[in-house]
Amino acid sequence: SQQGEEDPQALSIQEGENATMNCSYKTSINNLQWYRQNSGRGLVHLILIRSNEREKHSGRLRVTLDTSKKSSSLLITASRAADTASYFCATDSTGNQFYFGTGTSLTVIP
Amino acid sequence: KAGVTQTPRYLIKTRGQQVTLSCSPISGHRSVSWYQQTPGQGLQFLFEYFSETQRNKGNFPGRFSGRQFSNSRSEMNVSTLELGDSALYLCASSFQLQTGELFFGEGSRLTVL
């Protein structure tokens, strides 16, 4: 499978703490994206990082990309209860489909 | 700007029946892709349409089919339903093919009894 793999599968933290989740993939990519999904809902795009970028920020989100290790990490700082959701990474390569990982389930305890 | 609209949101079918799901993309988006989401398998790519043509297809049996109309609206059909087809079916639209941000609908939750 060319799917990405998120790690950990589940993460539980206290409100205010930082949450870090990782994504590994298998093939060369053009871009890597992170999405959030609230229970039973559609996915919402969070951030896109291109293969020639190493780090990107958006509000409380920080994404890093290491193409040599074929891995990415998503850091959510100062977490809130509203951040409770599943987080997915998605990769795409030329002429190919998007591949989604299996997701990290994040629980932020108030 | 209206988001991606999927109908119906919930449906229950029995084995052997067929089902058609509909997806209206964001206005101006020409690419529509479909995903099946199950607890054990995560998001699995079904197919992608762009300008009424299927551009890419995932590893699903021929019972799963789709089409796209000239207004970019898309439908997917599953024939001869099996219990394992129970899932959340997600549609996503984007402006271009296979690149950039995907905008997802809320999904159609199919239960096969």
Side-chain angles (χ1 to χ4, degrees), chain B residues 49-63:
Chain B
Y49 287 87
F50 185 84
S51 294
E52 301 179 66
T53 302
Q54 186 179 92
R55 303 294 179 141
N56 213 338
K57 190 176 190 300
N59 188 27
F60 277 82
R63 300 185 296 108

Side-chain angles (χ1 to χ4, degrees), chain A residues 3 31 33 35 37 40-43 45 48 88 92 95-98 100, chain B residues 35 37 41 43-45 56 88 90 98-102 104-106 109:
Chain A
Q3 265 188 334
N31 307 300
Q33 303 181 52
Y35 288 81
Q37 184 182 34
R41 309 290 294 275
L43 280 72
H45 180 263
L48 179 152
F88 296 85
D92 72 87
N96 214 326
Q97 61 190 260
F98 282 95
F100 281 82
Chain B
Y35 294 84
Q37 186 178 27
Q41 297 295 319
L43 273 85
Q44 300 287 316
F45 173 77
N56 213 338
L88 180 67
L90 292 163
Q98 294 173 347
T99 186
E101 178 181 348
L102 294 177
F104 282 84
E106 295 289 90
R109 182 163 296 281

